[in-house]
Structures are given as structure tokens and as C-alpha cells.
Amino acid sequence: MSSSLHVLVKSLLVAGIVFGSVASAWAQSGPQAGYVVPVAGDTIKGIIDLGRDQRNAQLCYFRPGKGAEEVIYNPRQLKAYGTSDIQFESHSLPKAVAAEDTLSRAFLENVVRGPLSLYYMHNGEQERYFVAGYRPGELTELRIRTQQINRGAQSFLAVERGYRDTLANAVKTCPKASKQVPNLAFRMKDIERVVRAYNSCANPNDGAAGQLSAKRRSHLAVAPMVAVGVANRLTMGNGKANEPYNDTYQGNTYLAGGISLLYVPGLRGSGFSVQTGLMYERNRRFAKEYSYGSVTVAASALAVDYVQLPLFARYSFGHGLVRPYAEAGGALRVVTKLREDSYGNIYSSGRLLGGHNWGGASLGAGAGLSIGRSEGRQVQLGVRAEQGGGPSPYLAGSILESITVHASFPLNK
């Protein structure tokens, strides 16, 4: 692969991840199979409509079945609610040290359960973490405070990392956990690692205690992908068929294969995802004969290999084993080989193009099915239509159109 193509591949993959990260706040929403546990009564199964993190802490939207009326619960009405991927428990919040809490009770996401349990809540722009098991019978907040200090003409930001002191006291009997605290960042995966390390000390017989849980807020599935181009057309110039450079050429059925990357920001099982990757389209061939009666007076043929770099935003519907999705986006195509380029009439022969563009960009849309559980491997089956720039280097250019049927099976859960 050339250096320029390598840069294109890297740039598109980075763009996909950045785009997914920006959209992650919105990807938390969506109906999923779940349950609620009322303060009085047994567990009720149904459909949980998860909101963004901020809403999850304050309200639970629940339907006991499809078509049933939606019920909205607050933290005083439920003990817990959740799905197979995420669980929330209702807790009274400890009083804030420096400011008054607007919430006295909230649904907290359970990140780690054990001798020392870790809970998470997103309230507005603030991420908050709590531990249970440090002080018997109550939650303790892991706090971080920032304060702007002005001294004369100088101004600087002071950060008070009280969460490190709290965790240091909570895990002091476990050297494995204690040594991670001094430089601990205020983010979930790092705090979770410390809590799990402590739990593996407190309960060494639990083999899973020290293992980080599967990522629930982002997931990248890597999958081999194959595709068949069932419609393939090249329009050169104005397509009026008055000369070879202004004509429409129907193409062959072609094959493509490569690697698909499906990035799910937000919760596992949420609707929004971004599909990118690297595909090789082999021998996209276009040919046409010009006849007078039964005699062929001219013939054109063009065959091109492409490397394709797609970037499509997807949204899946439902929460079952089979989830339909719709997608929209685009792709870059880079010509890797000009297999055939010919034009001939009854008087002479030569090349149709005599050269070609490096590639082009396209826009497209599609639909398909995701088959499998959200926490496992999901087979992707779909159809996609695209239209974009073709290989003609002439001023009028060319348009490349395709409809592909594709399938992928992830290598990882």
C-alpha cells in the first residue's frame, strides 16, 4: 500500500472514531429488553427506554410489553432497573462536601459489585463516582474539585483530588490496589481497575473479581466482510451516447472483500453505530458494442480494481435477536489497477481513456439486519446503494453507481 493510501486509510478510520465519540451522548438512548424492581413487589420484565446518562439517573421509562402504555418511575418508586448490559440501583446520595446537591436520591449505575462496590452517575456536565462497603451502611462519594485562584495578575486552576485519599483508605489492606492510587486518573476504567484489584484481595476465590468488565460505553467489532456488486454502471460525460466519452456503460457482477470495523459508542445494544473499514473491489468491468444491423462497428471496454474506504452511520431498531438497521454515509475509492482500457471501430483502435483519475468519493444509503445478541457476535447482512465520481479524467468526468449485497461476521464479541 502506498504512503498516500496509508494516510487515507488512517484518516478515515480516525474520522469514524471521532464521529462516533461525538455522537456517543446521543447513542445512550433506545428501547431495550429489560426489567424494573418496584419498591413493593416482584421483578417485572419488559422494555426499558434508556435515555442519555443524565436522564438515566433521574427517570426510568418502562413498558411491560410491546404496545403497552409507558410508565415513568422515579428513584423513590423503584429499587432497581436495567438491561442485560447495564444495571441501575436507587440510592440516597451522601451530602455534598462543598455544595448542595440538587438530588437527594438517584438511580446509580452499578459498575462493580463486591466487597467494595463502585457506582457511577452522570449529572449534567459532571461525572460522579461512589463506593459502597468502605463505610458500613452508606455510600461514599469519590470527589474531585477544581478551583480558580487569583493572585495579583496571575490566575491558575487548582485541582483537589480527594478521590485518591478516599480510595487509599478504602483499599489500604490490599497492596495490589494501593500502589495504583497515587497517580489515579478520575475516569471510570481506572477507578474500576482499583476497585476490582481490591475485591480480588478481599475475595481471592472469585476469579472474575479482578477482571475489568466488558466495555459497555464503546465497542469495536472487527469482522471479515464480503460483498457482491449486483448492479454496476458507469456514466461518462453527459451519457447521451453520441460518442464513447458521452455514454452509459452497464457493468458486470463483481466481488469485493475486506475488513469491516463496526464502532458502537454509548451502550452495548444501543441503536447508533459507525461502520468503516477497508474493502477491495476486483474487476469492475464496463463494456459496450456499437452495431449497425448485425455488424459490430465499434466496441469499448474498461475494467478497474478499487480499494474502498467506507464511512456509514447506522441506526438499528428494536432490541431482539434480529434488528433491522438503516444507514447513510459515503466512501472514498482509490484505483489500484486499470485492468482493461480499449476502444476500437472499423477504422482504428486505441484506448478509451488513455489514463484515469486516482479515484473518487461517493454518497450512499442502505438497509440490513443485525443478527445476534447485543453482547455477543452480531452477523451483519445488508444491501447498499452508492453514487459517486468515476475514473474518467476528462472535463465532463464520470459517475460510478453500484448496488451491493454484503455480509460480515465479527471476530470478537
Side-chain angles (χ1 to χ4, degrees):
M1 183 181 292
S2 68
S3 59
S4 60
L5 183 56
H6 176 76
V7 171
L8 282 171
V9 174
K10 184 176 180 180
S11 299
L12 193 60
L13 295 181
V14 170
I17 300 301
V18 170
F19 178 47
S21 298
V22 170
S24 63
W26 299 97
Q28 303 294 335
S29 60
Q32 302 178 52
Y35 65 90
V36 295
V37 184
V39 172
D42 298 327
T43 300
I44 305 172
K45 292 184 178 181
I47 300 171
I48 299 291
D49 189 1
L50 289 171
R52 299 191 298 277
D53 283 337
Q54 182 176 350
R55 195 189 81 178
N56 293 336
Q58 300 177 35
L59 298 171
C60 169
Y61 289 73
F62 177 75
R63 295 181 189 273
K66 290 183 178 180
E69 185 176 350
E70 187 173 63
V71 182
I72 303 175
Y73 293 102
N74 65 49
R76 298 189 182 279
Q77 296 172 303
L78 295 180
K79 295 179 183 177
Y81 77 92
T83 71
S84 60
D85 296 316
I86 187 169
Q87 294 81 45
F88 295 90
E89 298 176 10
S90 176
H91 287 275
S92 294
L93 300 182
K95 292 182 179 180
V97 174
E100 183 179 353
D101 257 322
T102 57
L103 295 176
S104 59
R105 194 171 187 88
F107 292 120
L108 304 182
E109 178 189 342
N110 180 255
V111 181
V112 180
R113 196 185 306 277
L116 189 65
S117 294
L118 174 63
Y119 295 93
Y120 163 84
M121 181 180 74
H122 191 283
N123 186 21
E125 298 298 322
Q126 183 182 12
E127 290 191 342
R128 300 176 67 178
Y129 301 95
F130 305 84
V131 291
Y134 168 44
R135 295 190 177 101
E138 64 179 82
L139 288 177
T140 302
E141 184 167 6
L142 304 178
R143 296 189 60 81
I144 184 170
R145 295 175 58 199
T146 57
Q147 183 179 4
Q148 186 170 338
I149 298 177
N150 300 312
R151 290 182 177 175
Q154 294 183 331
S155 178
F156 58 93
L157 195 67
V159 180
E160 180 184 326
R161 294 180 171 85
Y163 66 94
R164 291 179 180 173
D165 295 333
T166 301
L167 274 177
N169 288 327
V171 304
K172 62 184 178 183
T173 58
C174 177
K176 179 181 177 181
S178 295
K179 68 180 183 181
Q180 300 180 45
V181 173
N183 298 311
L184 186 67
F186 192 72
R187 57 189 179 194
M188 182 181 291
K189 68 176 183 178
D190 297 308
I191 297 173
E192 179 183 354
R193 186 175 289 108
V194 172
V195 173
R196 288 187 179 276
Y198 172 81
N199 288 344
S200 67
C201 290
N203 188 8
N205 293 325
D206 185 359
Q211 299 177 7
L212 285 176
S213 60
K215 291 182 179 180
R216 292 171 293 176
R217 282 180 168 72
S218 63
H219 177 67
L220 180 66
V222 181
M225 185 172 181
V226 294
V228 178
V230 295
N232 184 25
R233 186 168 70 177
L234 175 66
T235 301
M236 293 180 61
N238 58 27
K240 293 183 178 180
N242 55 353
E243 58 181 329
Y245 312 116
N246 291 302
D247 207 345
T248 297
Y249 296 85
Q250 298 298 330
N252 63 334
T253 298
Y254 64 93
L255 297 176
I259 293 294
S260 169
L261 303 178
L262 186 65
Y263 178 65
V264 182
L267 303 175
R268 293 286 293 271
S270 64
F272 183 82
S273 62
V274 176
Q275 189 272 326
T276 182
L278 185 66
M279 298 287 289
Y280 193 83
E281 298 176 342
R282 186 179 184 277
N283 194 30
R284 293 190 65 168
R285 189 175 188 275
F286 309 90
K288 190 168 186 177
E289 291 185 348
Y290 302 85
S291 301
Y292 182 78
S294 60
V295 179
T296 298
V297 296
S300 299
L302 184 67
V304 185
D305 287 4
Y306 281 103
V307 167
Q308 178 200 158
L309 298 93
L311 180 59
F312 279 77
R314 289 182 178 176
Y315 194 85
S316 298
F317 303 91
H319 52 272
L321 291 176
V322 179
R323 305 173 69 195
Y325 70 79
E327 64 177 6
L332 291 179
R333 281 180 170 80
V334 179
V335 175
T336 59
K337 186 176 183 179
L338 187 61
R339 290 179 172 269
E340 191 174 356
D341 181 8
S342 64
Y343 171 73
N345 58 33
I346 56 177
Y347 304 108
S348 63
S349 63
R351 302 177 70 181
L352 177 64
L353 296 183
H356 59 274
N357 289 332
W358 64 270
S362 65
L363 294 176
L369 298 174
S370 296
I371 305 172
R373 297 186 62 84
S374 61
E375 66 270 21
R377 292 186 173 95
Q378 288 192 336
V379 177
Q380 308 285 326
L381 302 174
V383 60
R384 180 180 293 172
E386 293 180 72
Q387 183 183 82
S392 174
Y394 300 116
L395 185 62
S398 55
I399 297 174
L400 197 64
E401 297 170 292
S402 64
I403 297 176
T404 56
V405 176
H406 56 83
S408 63
F409 184 82
L411 301 175
N412 60 311
K413 292 184 178 181

